[in-house]
């Protein structure tokens, strides 16, 4: 395989890491536990104790350099972890802290404060998130919801992921000198939970009223850092969606092998076999575009924005279809609160509009490959 060809396979090290993460999630994050957490107050949904255990395995700092406290791996390994977190609908701040915030911070000049924060994120001592609406897609204009003053920020950002329990917010803001990226202690902001379809991934409105801030990047550096974070986020989110789809297919197959009707397992009926086979093919295709996107982001390829857009445009629909098919093929029990499939359907539905809709990403693909506009 030449260096220019994407490697879509999993390495032995990735498979070992997968086994470790899956074992921990099976023990600490069964669906009964997730369901129990979403029935409580929104502030208690995120499992920070589980996150610290994952961080102790190196999960939080996989793509971060070893000298900054990370594991010195790449986004490929992080993508594989995202698959497992999606498979468990784990309520941990992986997307906000280990992907969006970490990616933005490692794209700026690392002064002592940034290095300290990145090290803490990698080791799970603190969590952070990028203060943009979760609907923000790669390729969007630089967020201008927050105004920068004299070392202060003012503005309101709706729908921020993983902000409710974060220690630090990485805030894009526009000031007299143009775009900038700033660090704000979360305790200096007013954070209000907002209703989210996916109860396992809380969203928060963040209000800053003259909040003290530390500038860490400005101008093109800040714009590039936010764009890098959004591209990495889109690529890693597609991996999580793949995990959701694989769980839905596996669980449905197991159910149809056990459930009988007219003296036969439901899975023996041809009509259901065809639907499952179609789903298996779609998931296999999804795995290829997810691995391609992870590899492109990991290598810093100029094709990373295109690969991430392609992954989001395709995998979003696959995850939603897989979850919907799981609900349908589980029959009546699939529509109950007591069965976990609704957690996966809500995760798939909400993820399909996070970091850009599939239509938005298809438009982005057309832009990136210079397709002429439709007549």
């Amino acid at each position: 395989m030449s260096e220019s060809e994407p490697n879509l396979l999993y390495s032995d090290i990735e498979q070992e890491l997968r086994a470790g993460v899956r074992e921990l999630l099976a023990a600490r994050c069964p669906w009964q536990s997730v369901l129990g957490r979403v029935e409580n107050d929104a502030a208690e949904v995120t499992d920070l104790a589980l996150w610290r255990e994952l961080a102790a395995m190196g999960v939080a700092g996989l793509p971060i350099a070893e000298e900054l406290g990370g594991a010195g791996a790449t986004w490929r390994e992080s993508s594989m972890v995202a698959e497992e977190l999606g498979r468990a609908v784990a309520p941990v701040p992986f997307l906000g802290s280990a992907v969006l915030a970490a990616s933005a911070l490692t794209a700026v000049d690392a002064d002592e404060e940034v290095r300290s924060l990145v090290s803490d994120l990698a080791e799970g001592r603190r969590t952070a998130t990028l203060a943009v609406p979760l609907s923000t897609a790669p390729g969007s204009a630089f967020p201008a919801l927050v105004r920068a003053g004299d070392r202060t920020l003012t503005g309101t950002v709706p729908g921020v992921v993983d902000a409710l329990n974060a220690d630090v917010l990485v805030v894009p803001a526009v000031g007299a000198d143009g775009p900038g990226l700033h660090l704000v202690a979360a305790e200096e902001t007013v954070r209000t939970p907002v209703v989210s379809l996916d109860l396992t991934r809380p969203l928060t409105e963040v209000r800053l009223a003259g909040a003290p801030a530390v500038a860490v990047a400005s101008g093109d550096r800040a714009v590039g850092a936010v764009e890098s974070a959004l591209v990495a986020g889109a690529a890693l989110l597609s991996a999580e969606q793949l995990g959701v789809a694989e769980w839905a297919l596996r669980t449905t197959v197991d159910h149809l092998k056990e459930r009988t009707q007219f003296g036969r397992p439901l899975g023996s009926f041809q009509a259901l076999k065809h639907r499952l086979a179609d789903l298996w093919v779609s998931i296999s295709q999804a795995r290829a575009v997810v691995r391609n996107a992870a590899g492109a982001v990991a290598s810093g390829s100029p094709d990373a924005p295109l690969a991430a857009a392609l992954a989001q445009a395709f995998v979003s629909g696959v995850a939603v279809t897989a979850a919907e098919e799981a609900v349908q093929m589980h029959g009546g029990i699939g529509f109950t609160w007591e069965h976990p499939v609704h957690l996966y359907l809500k995760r798939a539905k909400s993820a399909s509009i996070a970091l850009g809709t599939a239509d938005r990403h298809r438009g982005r693909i057309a832009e990136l490959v210079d397709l002429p506009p439709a007549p």
Side-chain angles (χ1 to χ4, degrees), residues 13-202:
I13 293 177
E14 287 173 319
Q15 295 290 23
E16 290 176 12
L17 177 61
R18 181 198 298 279
V21 172
R22 186 176 294 187
E23 182 179 1
L24 174 61
L25 292 175
R28 288 278 290 102
C29 189
W31 66 263
Q32 294 91 339
S33 171
V34 177
L35 190 57
R37 298 189 77 88
V38 302
E39 290 175 331
N40 294 324
D41 185 79
E44 299 178 5
V45 170
T46 302
D47 193 341
L48 293 176
L50 173 60
W51 180 240
R52 285 190 286 271
E53 290 185 53
L54 288 164
M57 296 178 63
V59 164
L62 280 171
I64 296 174
E66 292 182 81
E67 57 267 27
L68 293 176
T74 74
W75 289 109
R76 283 179 58 88
E77 288 80 5
S78 288
S79 175
M80 189 280 304
V81 169
E83 291 179 29
E84 294 306 310
L85 296 176
R87 199 187 308 275
V89 285
V92 294
F94 177 81
L95 181 62
S97 191
V99 181
L100 294 175
S103 178
L105 292 172
T106 52
V108 303
D109 292 329
D111 61 13
E112 186 55 39
E113 184 152 0
V114 172
R115 293 174 68 89
S116 174
L117 175 56
V118 170
S119 177
D120 284 352
L121 297 185
E123 298 180 10
R125 290 193 292 267
R126 288 190 286 176
T127 65
T129 192
L130 183 66
V132 299
L134 186 55
S135 58
T136 308
S140 301
F142 188 82
L145 295 168
V146 178
R147 296 291 302 176
D150 183 16
R151 299 182 181 181
T152 61
L153 299 181
T154 300
T156 301
V157 187
V160 181
V161 68
D162 294 329
L164 195 58
N165 300 100
D167 299 295
V168 180
L169 302 179
V170 183
V171 185
V174 178
D177 298 331
L181 198 61
H182 307 258
L183 300 183
V184 176
E187 63 188 15
E188 300 289 350
T189 69
V190 177
R191 291 169 290 171
T192 306
V194 297
V195 176
S196 171
L197 172 65
D198 180 7
L199 298 176
T200 65
R201 175 171 282 158

Side-chain angles (χ1 to χ4, degrees), residues 193-224:
V194 297
V195 176
S196 171
L197 172 65
D198 180 7
L199 298 176
T200 65
R201 175 171 282 158
L203 299 179
T204 306
E205 178 188 89
V206 177
R207 186 160 62 86
L208 304 101
V214 176
V216 296
S218 61
D220 291 342
R221 176 73 78 171
V223 174

Side-chain angles (χ1 to χ4, degrees), residues 198-290:
D198 180 7
L199 298 176
T200 65
R201 175 171 282 158
L203 299 179
T204 306
E205 178 188 89
V206 177
R207 186 160 62 86
L208 304 101
V214 176
V216 296
S218 61
D220 291 342
R221 176 73 78 171
V223 174
V226 172
E227 178 65 12
S228 294
L230 294 175
V231 169
L236 273 288
L237 184 63
S238 71
E240 182 192 288
Q241 292 166 313
L242 173 62
V244 169
E246 289 182 334
W247 178 91
L249 176 60
R250 180 73 266 165
T251 302
T252 304
V253 169
D254 289 345
H255 175 75
L256 296 183
K257 287 164 67 177
E258 295 178 359
R259 182 76 172 172
T260 61
Q261 194 167 45
F262 308 117
R264 297 169 53 189
L266 281 173
S268 67
F269 290 94
Q270 195 76 344
L272 297 182
K273 286 182 180 179
H274 286 176
R275 288 165 64 178
L276 292 171
D278 288 344
L279 197 53
W280 182 87
V281 171
S282 295
I283 291 174
S284 298
Q285 294 168 331
R287 188 178 302 111
V289 295
V290 165

Side-chain angles (χ1 to χ4, degrees), residues 296-330:
V297 173
S299 65
S301 168
D303 289 334
L306 176 61
L310 177 63
Q312 274 295 302
F314 183 73
V315 185
S316 291
V318 173
V320 171
T321 299
E324 289 177 340
E325 286 285 64
V327 171
Q328 291 289 333
M329 292 194 215
H330 274 79

